[in-house]
Amino acid sequence: MRHGCGLGVVTRNAPRIDGQEDLSAPLPEALPTTMELDVLYRNEQHALVRFFTRYRASPEDARDLVQEAFLRLSRINLRRSGSISRPAEYLRQIARNLLKDRAKAARRHAVDAHVNADDCGLVGVDELARLEARDSLMRLEAAIKSLKPKTREIFMAHHLEGLGYAEIAARTGLSVSGVEKQVARAFDHIDRLTGLH
């Protein structure tokens, strides 16, 4: 059940010495009261959270946006604008405006973050580096092929299949230290032939 809450105001203007009303003097009655805001908050908070989450805000962001909406409402000077006859509708309009502001900020951010490809120097293909990499790969492949079959099998199981020394030992029937020696031999052989390791 929603409680009615009109954000009305008692408009007493401070008299000046010359008998005119002082419109610049802030009066506490000119702002929505804490009690009025509290009742409105209890009545509208959950609906506003649902409203914001429906428009892709996370639950945490939705709660922040609800707080921002109520903060904006609390700052309205009713003395200058008169009373708000339908505060819940006014609050929903504030919420819609917050979403519009958020969308504008996101668009500005996207435009600011955009980098035109023509404006940045793209690195071209370094043909020399590509040829050197291809040469190194060919030397590595030749070095691996020149390993003894058992050493090559152990090396490939460890480096390509990612098996541990104990798993390779179980597979080949060697001891763990024997597998370690075979891997060390493979590295020495590859290093001698390629200089890559």
Side-chain angles (χ1 to χ4, degrees):
M1 176 172 135
R2 292 181 179 227
H3 301 288
C5 174
L7 296 180
V9 63
V10 177
T11 54
R12 285 183 289 157
N13 295 326
R16 293 191 330 194
I17 297 174
D18 60 1
Q20 298 293 321
E21 292 180 349
D22 183 7
L23 298 176
S24 64
L27 294 176
E29 295 89 357
L31 297 174
T33 67
T34 305
M35 182 182 285
E36 290 169 332
L37 285 173
D38 185 50
V39 169
L40 187 61
Y41 183 79
R42 281 186 272 127
N43 289 339
E44 300 296 327
Q45 170 197 12
H46 297 294
L48 283 176
V49 167
R50 284 191 306 273
F51 172 76
F52 287 126
T53 54
R54 193 172 359 163
Y55 289 96
R56 302 218 183 344
S58 69
E60 183 178 300
D61 286 345
R63 287 188 294 273
D64 290 343
L65 287 165
V66 168
Q67 292 295 321
E68 178 66 25
F70 274 95
L71 180 63
R72 286 186 183 187
L73 181 64
S74 72
R75 289 181 175 164
I76 293 173
N77 188 338
L78 294 176
R79 183 164 172 250
R80 290 194 179 156
S81 61
S83 66
I84 299 172
S85 60
R86 292 178 282 185
E89 288 179 28
Y90 195 82
L91 186 63
R92 282 190 285 280
Q93 184 59 49
I94 291 173
R96 284 189 290 275
N97 290 342
L98 280 171
L99 285 177
K100 288 177 187 176
D101 292 348
R102 189 175 183 208
K104 285 178 191 175
R107 279 193 301 273
R108 274 193 310 272
H109 178 71
V111 167
D112 292 344
H114 177 73
V115 176
N116 191 346
D118 296 334
D119 295 340
C120 62
L122 299 176
V123 178
V125 176
D126 183 1
E127 209 46 49
L128 180 62
R130 192 173 69 79
L131 289 172
E132 286 176 350
R134 190 173 78 189
D135 182 56
S136 296
L137 187 59
M138 287 172 46
R139 285 185 289 140
L140 177 62
E141 187 178 351
I144 291 172
K145 283 183 179 178
S146 68
L147 290 170
K148 293 182 180 175
K150 186 71 141 178
T151 305
R152 182 174 53 243
E153 176 190 351
I154 291 170
F155 178 81
M156 299 296 273
H158 182 63
H159 286 284
L160 291 181
E161 296 176 39
L163 298 179
Y165 291 156
E167 293 170 306
I168 297 170
R171 180 193 275 185
T172 59
L174 295 173
S175 66
V176 173
S177 66
V179 170
E180 289 172 353
K181 287 177 188 173
Q182 291 294 325
V183 170
R185 277 191 200 130
F187 275 124
D188 287 343
H189 180 75
I190 291 169
D191 191 36
R192 257 193 336 271
L193 294 179
T194 64
L196 296 175
H197 185 261

